[in-house]
Amino acid sequence: MSINLQLETQRLILRDFTKSDWQGVHSYASDPEVVRYLPFGPNSEEDTKIFLQREIKIQRQQPRQHFALALTLKDDKQLIGACRISVTNPDKQEGSIGYCLAKEFWGQGYATEAVGKLLHFGFQQLNLHRIFATCDPKNVLSMRVLVKSGMRQEGYLQEYEWVKGEWRDSVLYAMLEREWIQMQIRNVE
């Protein structure tokens, strides 16, 4: 995989993070409402710098199995959030995805657009068989994104993660490569 990954959708560019993304990342990662259901944050400036340093270092790994990407608007290159796809189990050809958007960009279809591109990249470029995502059951908007993207609920994981001082449940969503192919065929017809 190339070090400088860039994927495009109709309205977005999903690209590798750079050091210059610091302020854009910090603006959403420090917002308590944005990170309410996420395992990190709200970030301090130091937290955001450490995150970016770690992700930029990971970009050089070979083979690369983790892709944290800046979500930017195609028109003006504004950073509006982040998404990621990670190969979680190479032997099983399994990966996971995640996403986070600044709240002023919620409800406009950007997360669904990004997830669609991550699924495409995962199945077409990473040759994954199964891609999953977990979501806090209170995060109804995020669950809606996963369903709109064609993923199906596979399970409900009780007290799955210790997050911000409490055990939290997670809803498990997934899609198989054959389901993704069938969805692409339906979209063409």
Side-chain angles (χ1 to χ4, degrees):
M1 279 302 139
S2 137
I3 289 177
N4 296 313
L5 181 65
Q6 180 169 303
L7 307 171
E8 292 188 23
T9 70
Q10 182 180 350
R11 302 178 296 163
L12 299 171
I13 295 174
L14 291 63
R15 61 164 175 77
D16 279 332
F17 281 108
T18 65
K19 288 180 184 177
S20 63
D21 291 325
W22 181 84
Q23 286 182 315
V25 171
H26 192 65
S27 69
Y28 70 77
S30 62
D31 183 334
E33 197 173 346
V34 171
V35 299
R36 179 178 176 191
Y37 300 113
L38 297 174
F40 68 88
N43 278 11
S44 66
E45 289 184 1
E46 186 64 21
D47 293 333
T48 300
K49 289 176 183 174
I50 290 169
F51 163 79
L52 274 178
Q53 288 170 354
R54 183 182 67 237
E55 294 305 332
I56 290 168
K57 184 179 179 183
I58 289 172
Q59 292 169 8
R60 296 188 298 270
Q61 290 181 346
Q62 292 296 326
R64 187 169 174 190
Q65 297 190 340
H66 176 76
F67 302 83
L69 304 170
L71 277 176
T72 62
L73 296 176
K74 198 181 261 189
D75 291 343
D76 63 7
K77 311 294 187 247
Q78 180 183 359
L79 192 146
I80 65 167
C83 62
R84 65 146 189 89
I85 184 165
S86 302
V87 178
T88 55
N89 189 328
D91 294 333
K92 292 183 180 178
Q93 294 175 273
E94 182 180 71
S96 69
I97 58 170
Y99 47 89
C100 175
L101 267 74
K103 77 177 154 224
E104 60 265 31
F105 297 97
W106 292 356
Q108 299 174 48
Y110 292 120
T112 304
E113 205 169 307
V115 168
K117 193 60 173 183
L118 290 176
L119 292 170
H120 181 271
F121 178 71
F123 291 126
Q124 292 293 110
Q125 304 300 126
L126 300 178
N127 299 313
L128 296 175
H129 172 69
R130 179 178 182 272
I131 298 173
F132 71 90
T134 59
C135 181
D136 188 302
K138 297 176 193 149
N139 194 346
V140 177
L141 294 177
S142 189
M143 289 191 301
R144 190 176 306 154
V145 166
L146 297 170
V147 170
K148 276 185 180 177
S149 300
M151 298 182 85
R152 64 188 150 61
Q153 184 176 333
E154 279 194 340
Y156 189 96
L157 309 168
Q158 291 187 357
E159 297 184 10
Y160 180 67
E161 289 183 293
W162 180 257
V163 178
K164 299 175 185 169
E166 65 180 355
W167 285 106
R168 291 196 185 172
D169 296 351
S170 282
V171 183
L172 175 65
Y173 288 85
M175 178 180 274
L176 300 175
E177 180 187 26
R178 64 177 165 77
E179 294 170 320
W180 181 79
I181 291 169
Q182 290 167 351
M183 190 172 77
Q184 301 312 302
I185 292 169
R186 281 194 306 271
N187 289 342
V188 170
E189 293 173 346

